[in-house]
Amino acid sequence: MSKTTSSIIKLEGLSKPRGKRWDHLELLERIDASGSISAAATAMGMSYKAAWQAVESVNNLSHEPLVIRQPGGSTGGGTCLTEYGRRVVATYRRLEQEWAAVPATIGRTMDDFDQYYTMSRRFDMQTSARNQFLGTVTAVKKGAVNAEVTLDIGNGAKLAAIITNDSADHLALEVGSEAYALVKAQWIILTVETNFRTSARNSLTGTVVRCQEGAVNAEVVIELPGGKTVASIITNESVKVLGLKEGVQATALIKASHIILAVPA
């Protein structure tokens, strides 16, 4: 199986709309056609923020970025798909056509297929965690009760999670296996200091690409080297004190106990 096809299979749950969820695949196609995430969002009737959240989610669950920002200039900059992103979209559309014929084929040989297919869809993972990273397990260190599991999420970035030994066994985590790291945005602490000591096991440093203030809190999105992003919810006052704005370097601090691990079914 090629790397592109493997990534598409992992992204399948994000690419199809369910209920009011947006079709991420159509969004990628519109970005590719217009060169603008704003234009793509408008055409789909979704907000600019929702479009960026969708793009960030897809990038975080891919081995390589599918969408990148283009720097400003005489054309004002924009957003575009990478060559890898275009291959993913093209291959997924082909797989979508092939997959459409599968239920009908199975249905001809299995009378109660619809019942079991509906039940199987209930196991698809949906989560409220704003940050979702796909990674490869590089270490599993077990103690008396808990285990420290380290994930490589790409471009040298790693996350360490503390879970129980029972959970590690239940998820069958071992070096080389793939797992998802889920982190709620409210659990992430931000700093702009370069010299600091902290009890947080994980630190991810990058550049602020979005800082949107609300009535009380703000969402701050940091882009890491390689294109993955991490989102944090902090108070508006903290944004002012830290001087957070687009282009500022910042570090996201995450306690190992605040990371939830999950594996593909």
Side-chain angles (χ1 to χ4, degrees):
M1 181 182 293
S2 71
K3 184 176 180 183
T4 301
T5 304
S6 175
S7 290
I8 290 169
I9 291 173
K10 293 182 180 68
L11 293 171
E12 181 181 2
L14 290 174
S15 299
K16 290 178 177 287
R18 296 185 195 148
K20 294 184 178 180
R21 295 177 65 192
W22 300 106
D23 186 339
H24 292 62
L25 189 62
E26 180 185 348
L27 177 62
L28 294 179
E29 290 173 325
R30 289 185 179 276
I31 291 173
D32 193 34
S34 66
S36 165
I37 194 168
S38 178
T42 299
M44 292 185 66
M46 64 193 302
S47 70
Y48 181 74
K49 178 181 178 182
W52 262 120
Q53 287 182 343
V55 167
E56 289 159 0
S57 175
V58 171
N59 272 349
N60 284 355
L61 291 175
S62 174
H63 289 291
E64 297 179 27
L66 275 65
V67 181
I68 57 173
R69 295 175 174 82
Q70 291 181 311
S74 58
T75 60
T79 310
C80 69
L81 265 63
T82 62
E83 285 303 315
Y84 178 71
R86 292 190 179 97
R87 291 201 304 273
V88 167
V89 170
T91 307
Y92 189 93
R93 282 304 188 199
R94 177 64 184 273
L95 287 176
E96 195 174 49
Q97 294 172 1
E98 299 293 336
W99 183 254
V102 172
T105 302
I106 298 178
R108 287 194 292 268
T109 60
M110 186 175 174
D111 293 337
D112 52 359
F113 168 73
D114 286 341
Q115 174 187 346
Y116 290 100
Y117 179 73
T118 299
M119 182 179 69
S120 71
R121 296 297 289 178
R122 296 174 185 168
F123 295 99
D124 287 346
M125 183 180 70
Q126 296 186 44
T127 171
S128 63
R130 177 70 172 80
N131 300 286
Q132 303 175 40
F133 301 97
L134 174 64
T136 302
V137 176
T138 59
V140 179
K141 299 178 182 177
K142 290 188 175 181
V145 177
N146 295 327
E148 181 183 85
V149 181
T150 304
L151 290 183
D152 182 346
I153 61 172
N155 288 90
K158 294 186 176 182
L159 290 174
I162 297 296
I163 62 175
T164 64
N165 290 334
D166 286 344
S167 293
D169 292 338
H170 175 69
L171 297 175
L173 295 173
E174 59 183 17
V175 174
S177 63
E178 289 190 331
Y180 297 96
L182 312 177
V183 191
K184 290 178 69 69
Q186 293 89 338
W187 291 347
I188 295 178
I189 299 171
L190 299 184
T191 181
V192 293
E193 300 295 331
T194 55
N195 251 339
F196 59 85
R197 292 184 179 182
T198 174
S199 62
R201 180 72 172 77
N202 303 288
S203 63
L204 300 173
T205 300
T207 303
V208 175
V209 292
R210 194 166 72 250
C211 188
Q212 184 170 0
E213 294 189 18
V216 178
N217 295 325
E219 179 186 66
V220 181
V221 179
I222 298 173
E223 185 175 277
L224 308 175
K228 295 187 187 297
T229 55
V230 56
S232 175
I233 298 295
I234 61 176
T235 64
N236 293 335
E237 183 63 26
S238 294
V239 170
K240 295 176 182 177
V241 170
L242 295 174
L244 294 172
K245 59 182 179 180
E246 289 187 20
V248 171
Q249 180 174 293
T251 298
L253 305 175
I254 310 168
K255 295 182 64 173
S257 58
H258 282 171
I259 294 179
I260 299 171
L261 297 185
V263 297

